[in-house]
């Protein structure tokens, strides 16, 4: 793989993916291997890793050292927080969210998963599908990651046997069906030796599918696969009114990012929650007019009519309108050290809007290991539950399954200003 | 069963995506913070930030002043460029200097020649207090250094400016939380997800001007510990040093006492991109004399309030 020596001929965009598994599954080694084989690790970093490996009495360079970021982790030898890594193949740029696999860090995995479009779930070929595998798969599914790759690692320790691979594959598929996980790919590999990651190696000839990197290179990026409704939460209103520049006197630009769908000049739009209709007069950015804007593009919209719009409002298009509501039902992952207190008011932030909220009910708490629904009065850190919130102000929402941008919210504790919960609207 | 489905809808190129994300972050700062500032040094990353701010806020003014913490040990080309660019944009530039902190006695150097880089933290915190800033926008990137890989895009600092790696706010989706109590503040990093190569590709695409020392030029240097130490008034050659006249450029620009140039004859952005894409040494490893001290040195400085 010629990696970054060649500059982009075709820009195949950017893919964000998540790796889940524990240190024991060889996750850090896998990431190290991806970076090393795409020539992203540079000589001085490699040198520092070699020195540390030597100090720890290891015979070869431990690629997992690359992802051990913080002093505290290096001392404990475990990954305790989400880390972001970058590499490019010349065709596509990648952002890896590296989530720790230990049970107590559900919140980290949900955090890492929230921006990913693909998840690599690592399984140790000697151990097969574990409780941890089920937990990771459920969380990836819950947070709406559309593509899952099950990487059956450490094939070198099971003599590269196809029977092991087939057995784990069928075991996983049985379980995935019960969750409703659709798109799963399976790949056998050895992160330690680099088989089937960037290079095919010579020991897995019975496997005819693509290498891990081939799968990543061709995986769909976010917003590319289906028609989406246009959603434009307004971040700021631009009213420059510069003295001496008459044409700016009436300028009112609505600044934000297209969270989903697309918009063109002339399209009819609806402003929520006020329900006013108008048309798009112009789309611009930094003095340049654009005929249209697509998902994830930050632009400024100018509208035909003088409509009262401020930060927190949402501009949507035509038919498939978002729901304006003062009550939301959601799956909630509690992230805070302090348990959710049903008596207290919290702040909910969704798109660019904030509102006070009160818990109405906890439907059930989900046991993340057995996936059983349990009754619950309160929620502690890492708990996942089905809840209902009453809202002081209306929000403009879609279901999370329909739209990951307008269906997601965070819960903020006003006494500390900490982010204490993450919700996905049902 | 297969992930190899065809893409149905157009999506952004990687550079457009990064630009768009950064604009979104800058606008969130403006939407959520009462009194932010943008840290601007005249270096390449902060020049990229300024272009992103233009894209985010024009035809309006920037909703924040530019703030520079001057160590007094900067290359004059960079300082001149800083002033020129702020003036060109017609935006307010605030400069606070480490030398003023030294006069006040809040910065005490171990020796006259000690690098002032880490002492910037003190002056920065003093400026934050003086102006009551609740957010400082910086050009740091996660690919620069290990300790930064886990940094949030909106990073919370307590009233002592401290970063606590074990007590960071979870950051989900693009729902940033910039809420702070009085005295606390947020450091926001719009180009967190960019790499050095992305920065140079963006500079090329946007045709951004840079201080001249980023491009190949002749300079007197001394080879020290595998790095090139520039010979300047602050860092004169010592007896026994072999001074060489070499063609070099700077990959990063900071305090004169701790920033080393690299051997290069890349005199255009295109040639720098070519070199960056094929380099074998990391940006900080090759050029920062201060990060080599210990593997955890950046983390230590960040805990003390370094941005």
């Amino acid at each position: 793989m010629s990696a970054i020596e060649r500059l982009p001929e075709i820009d195949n965009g950017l893919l964000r993916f998540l790796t889940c598994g524990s240190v024991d599954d060889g996750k850090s080694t896998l990431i190290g291997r991806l970076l090393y084989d795409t020539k992203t690790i540079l000589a001085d970093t490699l040198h520092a890793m070699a020195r540390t490996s030597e100090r720890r009495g290891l015979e070869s360079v431990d690629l997992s050292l690359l992802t051990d970021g913080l002093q505290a982790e290096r001392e404990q030898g475990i990954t305790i927080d989400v880390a972001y890594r970058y590499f490019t193949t010349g065709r596509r740029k990648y952002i890896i969210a590296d989530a720790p696999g230990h049970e107590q860090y559900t919140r980290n995995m949900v955090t890492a998963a929230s921006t990913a479009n693909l998840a690599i779930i690592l399984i140790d070929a000697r151990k097969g599908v574990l409780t941890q595998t089920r937990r990771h798969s459920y969380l990836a599914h819950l947070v709406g990651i559309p593509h899952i790759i099950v990487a059956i690692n450490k094939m070198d320790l099971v003599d590269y046997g196809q029977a092991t691979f087939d057995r784990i594959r069928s075991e996983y598929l049985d379980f995935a069906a019960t969750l409703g996980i659709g798109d799963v790919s399976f790949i056998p590999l050895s992160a330690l030796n680099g088989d089937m990651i960037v290079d095919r190696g010579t020991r897995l000839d019975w496997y005819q599918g693509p290498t891990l990197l081939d799968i990543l290179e061709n995986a769909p990026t976010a917003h590319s696969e289906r028609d989406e409704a246009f959603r434009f939460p307004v971040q700021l209103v631009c009213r420059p009114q510069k003295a001496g520049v008459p044409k700016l006197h009436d300028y009112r630009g609505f600044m934000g990012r297209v969270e989903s769908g697309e918009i063109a000049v002339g399209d009819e739009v609806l402003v929520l929650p006020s329900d006013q209709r108008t048309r798009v007069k112009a789309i611009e950015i930094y003095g340049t007019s654009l005929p249209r804007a697509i998902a994830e593009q930050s632009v400024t919209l100018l509208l035909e009519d003088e409509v009262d719009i401020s930060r927190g409002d949402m501009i949507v298009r035509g038919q498939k309108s978002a729901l304006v509501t003062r009550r939301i039902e959601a799956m909630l992952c509690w992230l805070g050290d302090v348990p959710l207190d049903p008596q207290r008011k919290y702040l909910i932030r969704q798109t660019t809007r904030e509102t006070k909220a009160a818990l109405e009910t906890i439907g059930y708490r989900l046991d993340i290991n057995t996936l059983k629904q349990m009754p619950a009065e309160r929620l502690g850190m890492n708990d996942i539950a089905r809840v209902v919130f009453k809202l002081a102000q209306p929000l403009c929402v879609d279901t999370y399954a329909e739209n990951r941008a307008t269906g997601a919210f965070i819960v903020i504790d006003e006494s500390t200003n900490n982010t204490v919960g993450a919700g996905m609207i049902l | 069963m297969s992930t190899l489905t065809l893409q149905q809808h157009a999506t952004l190129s990687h550079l457009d995506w990064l630009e768009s994300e950064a604009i979104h972050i800058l606008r969130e700062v403006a939407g959520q913070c009462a009194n932010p500032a943008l840290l601007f040094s005249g270096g390449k990353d902060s020049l990229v930030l300024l272009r992103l701010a233009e894209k985010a806020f024009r035809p309006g003014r920037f909703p924040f002043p530019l703030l520079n913490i001057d160590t007094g040990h900067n290359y004059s080309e960079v300082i001149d460029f800083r002033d020129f660019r702020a003036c060109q944009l017609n935006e307010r530039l605030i400069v606070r200097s480490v030398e003023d902190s030294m006069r006040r006695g809040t910065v005490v150097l171990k020796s006259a020649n000690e690098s002032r880089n880490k002492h910037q933290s003190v002056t920065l915190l003093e400026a934050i207090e003086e102006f009551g800033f609740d957010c400082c926008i910086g050009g740091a990137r996660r690919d620069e250094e290990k300790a930064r890989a886990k940094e949030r895009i909106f990073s919370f600092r307590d009233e002592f400016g401290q970063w606590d790696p074990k007590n960071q706010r979870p950051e989900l989706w693009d729902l940033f939380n910039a809420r702070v109590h009085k005295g606390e503040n947020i450091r926001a990093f719009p180009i967190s997800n960019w790499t050095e190569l992305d920065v140079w590709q963006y500079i090329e695409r946007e045709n951004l001007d840079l201080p001249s020392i980023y491009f190949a030029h002749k300079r007197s240097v001394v080879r020290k510990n595998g790095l090139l130490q520039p010979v300047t008034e602050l860092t004169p050659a010592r007896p026994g040093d072999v001074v060489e006249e070499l063609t070099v450029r700077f990959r990063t620009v900071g305090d004169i006492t701790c920033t080393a140039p690299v051997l290069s004859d890349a005199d255009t952005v295109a040639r720098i991109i070519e070199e960056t894409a094929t380099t074998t040494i990391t940006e900080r490893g090759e050029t920062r004399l201060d990060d080599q001290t210990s593997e955890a040195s950046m983390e230590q400085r960040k805990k003390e309030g370094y941005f």
Side-chain angles (χ1 to χ4, degrees):
Chain A
M1 202 66 212
S2 53
I4 55 172
E5 285 140 36
R6 267 185 301 126
L7 291 176
E9 289 157 11
I10 311 158
D11 194 316
N12 202 9
L14 181 143
L15 183 74
R16 302 192 72 161
F17 70 93
L18 160 76
T19 50
C20 25
S22 69
V23 183
D24 309 331
D25 303 323
K27 177 172 57 98
S28 299
T29 309
L30 174 78
I31 295 170
R33 178 58 71 180
L34 266 175
L35 302 189
Y36 183 71
D37 286 357
T38 55
K39 301 184 172 57
T40 308
I41 304 181
L42 299 177
D44 56 336
T45 307
L46 198 61
H47 184 64
M49 285 159 61
R51 270 194 321 226
T52 308
S53 303
E54 207 178 284
R55 222 171 30 234
R56 290 190 185 173
L58 303 172
E59 279 173 16
S60 59
V61 176
D62 181 359
L63 288 173
S64 70
L65 289 173
L66 191 73
T67 55
D68 290 345
L70 302 171
Q71 209 166 14
E73 292 170 27
R74 283 199 295 280
E75 282 155 13
Q76 295 169 29
I78 54 159
T79 316
I80 55 169
D81 201 350
V82 184
Y84 296 91
R85 310 283 160 191
Y86 305 86
F87 71 98
T88 175
T89 55
R91 286 189 68 220
R92 184 172 255 191
K93 178 184 165 98
Y94 295 92
I95 303 180
I96 310 176
D98 179 16
H102 299 274
E103 186 163 11
Q104 60 270 43
Y105 298 118
T106 294
R107 70 174 209 156
N108 288 328
M109 176 155 166
V110 170
T111 301
S114 69
T115 51
N117 207 51
L118 179 148
I120 299 175
I121 292 176
L122 271 148
I123 292 181
D124 183 332
R126 296 169 303 170
K127 295 178 184 160
V129 177
L130 302 176
T131 302
Q132 171 189 276
T133 316
R134 294 194 186 92
R135 192 167 70 226
H136 291 155
S137 304
Y138 173 74
L139 290 174
H141 182 62
L142 175 77
V143 187
I145 297 179
H147 304 284
I148 288 178
I149 299 174
V150 176
I152 300 169
N153 190 28
K154 304 202 178 179
M155 290 301 291
D156 50 308
L157 297 180
V158 295
D159 294 328
Y160 294 95
Q162 185 175 3
T164 309
F165 175 78
D166 288 343
R167 182 174 47 74
I168 295 172
R169 181 173 179 277
S170 94
E171 198 183 336
Y172 187 91
L173 279 174
D174 287 347
F175 153 74
T178 64
L179 283 183
I181 293 175
D183 187 9
V184 195
S185 304
F186 295 86
I187 183 166
L189 43 90
S190 164
L192 190 69
N193 297 326
D195 297 311
M196 221 46 85
I197 293 176
V198 173
D199 303 310
R200 296 193 71 84
T202 55
R203 289 157 288 211
L204 288 164
D205 288 341
W206 49 264
Y207 168 77
Q208 302 295 316
T211 63
L212 183 60
L213 189 66
D214 283 336
I215 297 177
L216 296 175
E217 288 278 81
N218 293 293
T221 52
H223 305 284
S224 67
E225 293 176 273
R226 58 188 172 106
D227 290 332
E228 295 175 333
F230 172 71
R231 299 288 182 256
F232 189 85
V234 175
Q235 290 184 279
L236 295 171
V237 180
C238 177
R239 303 206 62 179
Q241 292 178 307
K242 265 185 207 155
V245 188
K247 76 172 172 136
L248 285 181
H249 190 77
D250 296 320
Y251 187 98
R252 292 185 69 196
F254 302 103
M255 298 176 149
R257 186 172 62 172
V258 180
E259 293 297 346
S260 60
E262 57 178 71
I263 190 79
V265 173
D267 283 352
E268 190 186 57
V269 291
L270 180 66
V271 181
L272 297 176
S274 62
D275 244 347
Q276 308 164 86
R277 280 187 190 279
T278 179
R279 283 182 186 279
V280 176
K281 187 166 76 180
I283 304 170
E284 41 180 63
I285 189 86
Y286 189 43
T288 307
S289 292
L290 308 170
R292 64 174 197 143
I294 61 173
E296 302 192 311
Q297 199 169 3
S298 288
V299 290
T300 302
L301 297 184
L302 285 85
L303 303 177
E304 292 279 0
D305 305 291
E306 213 168 281
V307 192
D308 183 26
I309 302 178
S310 48
R311 175 176 164 85
D313 291 351
M314 190 152 79
I315 301 174
V316 304
R317 201 173 62 171
Q319 322 76 357
K320 277 204 256 169
S321 174
L323 179 70
V324 177
T325 179
R326 281 174 187 267
R327 189 172 177 277
I328 49 174
E329 190 155 11
M331 292 305 291
L332 178 72
C333 179
W334 195 251
L335 312 168
D337 305 324
V338 182
L340 169 73
D341 181 347
Q343 309 301 320
R344 280 185 58 192
K345 304 275 188 294
Y346 290 91
L347 207 60
I348 280 183
R349 175 192 296 280
Q350 177 256 2
T351 65
T352 54
R353 212 169 167 87
E354 254 178 30
T355 175
K356 285 215 156 75
L359 186 75
E360 195 175 286
T361 53
I362 300 178
Y364 58 83
R365 182 180 70 79
L366 196 89
D367 183 312
I368 190 74
N369 293 319
T370 61
L371 301 182
K372 284 203 177 100
Q373 299 177 4
M374 319 289 280
E377 300 279 297
R378 44 180 258 162
L379 300 176
M381 199 203 290
N382 296 312
D383 279 348
I384 290 173
R386 184 172 177 134
V387 299
V388 177
F389 278 110
K390 283 182 298 189
L391 310 173
Q393 301 293 323
L395 294 178
C396 316
V397 306
D398 293 289
T399 62
Y400 188 77
E402 189 71 34
N403 195 314
R404 288 176 81 183
T406 51
F409 63 88
I410 55 171
V411 181
I412 297 167
D413 179 339
E414 276 184 289
S415 68
T416 59
N417 285 324
N418 262 331
T419 304
V420 291
M424 288 145 281
I425 296 169
L426 294 165
Chain B
M1 279 302 295
S2 163
T3 47
L4 305 177
T5 44
L6 283 173
Q7 308 218 152
Q8 306 280 318
H9 291 273
T11 51
L12 299 176
S13 75
H14 92 275
L15 220 46
D16 285 335
W17 188 91
L18 291 171
E19 176 190 69
S20 191
E21 183 196 38
I23 293 171
H24 179 253
I25 292 163
L26 285 166
R27 288 172 172 174
E28 277 307 289
V29 171
Q32 292 191 38
C33 303
N35 188 20
L38 185 145
L39 299 172
F40 174 56
S41 65
K44 68 178 193 312
D45 297 316
S46 63
L47 284 161
V48 164
L49 279 187
L50 288 193
R51 170 52 50 89
L52 293 166
E54 287 182 277
K55 295 211 177 189
F57 304 114
R58 294 292 186 243
R61 296 283 305 271
F62 292 176
F64 37 68
L66 313 179
L67 171 65
N68 180 230
I69 304 303
D70 188 347
T71 61
H73 282 176
N74 291 304
Y75 287 99
S76 60
E77 292 93 333
V78 181
I79 295 299
D80 292 347
F81 199 84
R82 174 197 75 188
D83 296 344
F84 162 74
R85 191 71 183 115
C87 180
Q88 192 182 37
L89 287 168
N90 194 24
E91 297 289 348
R92 179 174 167 222
L93 172 68
I94 299 167
V95 178
R96 286 295 175 268
S97 85
V98 175
E99 284 168 355
D100 284 337
S101 301
M102 287 159 60
R103 271 191 285 277
R104 275 193 293 274
T106 47
V107 164
V108 181
L109 300 182
K110 286 193 205 99
S111 68
N113 294 331
E114 190 196 356
S115 165
R116 296 175 182 178
N117 208 45
K118 71 169 190 175
H119 297 294
Q120 287 179 88
S121 312
V122 175
T123 312
L124 174 60
L125 295 180
E126 286 171 350
I128 287 172
E129 199 173 331
E130 177 187 351
F131 293 95
F133 292 130
D134 55 357
C135 176
C136 291
I137 303 161
R141 310 190 315 265
R142 286 178 180 147
D143 83 319
E144 278 178 88
E145 212 273 340
K146 268 185 175 182
R148 291 215 196 268
K150 303 189 176 190
E151 177 73 284
R152 303 295 190 259
I153 289 173
F154 279 57
S155 181
F156 174 77
R157 305 300 166 99
D158 67 15
E159 56 185 323
F160 299 100
Q162 295 179 106
W163 178 70
D164 178 358
K166 283 191 171 166
N167 189 23
Q168 297 197 76
R169 290 179 181 172
E171 198 165 68
L172 296 103
W173 298 287
D174 296 314
L175 295 172
F176 302 111
N177 174 2
R179 298 180 69 92
V180 289
H181 292 300
K182 202 169 162 43
E184 302 165 341
N185 67 89
I186 293 288
R187 307 287 165 86
F189 303 114
I191 60 168
S192 283
N193 285 325
W194 299 42
T195 61
E196 186 189 13
L197 185 60
D198 297 325
V199 167
W200 281 108
Q201 287 178 327
Y202 192 71
I203 288 168
E204 182 180 52
R205 190 184 86 172
E206 296 293 315
N207 213 1
L208 298 183
D209 288 328
L210 296 179
S212 57
I213 63 173
Y214 277 111
F215 300 98
H217 57 281
K218 289 262 184 227
R219 183 174 290 273
S220 301
V221 296
V222 172
R223 293 178 198 264
K224 268 184 191 158
N225 305 326
L227 297 171
L228 303 176
Q229 166 101 56
V231 178
T232 64
E233 273 178 44
L234 283 168
T235 53
R238 299 210 186 108
D241 281 352
V242 181
V243 179
E244 296 173 81
E245 183 90 353
L246 298 174
T247 303
V248 299
R249 67 177 171 90
F250 285 89
R251 276 175 82 181
T252 65
V253 166
D255 193 273
I256 289 176
T257 60
C258 70
T259 315
V262 297
L263 273 180
S264 167
D265 50 14
D267 51 5
T268 63
V269 174
R271 296 189 64 193
I272 291 172
I273 289 175
E274 209 174 297
E275 275 191 10
T276 306
T278 55
T279 187
T280 56
I281 311 278
T282 61
E283 186 175 348
R284 294 193 87 91
E286 188 174 42
T287 64
R288 299 303 278 251
L289 300 155
D290 51 343
D291 281 344
Q292 291 198 322
T293 322
S294 92
E295 224 185 320
S297 57
M298 168 71 88
E299 185 183 343
Q300 202 53 45
R301 284 208 307 273
K302 276 161 62 71
K303 283 181 184 165
E304 290 161 7
Y306 191 79
F307 89 92

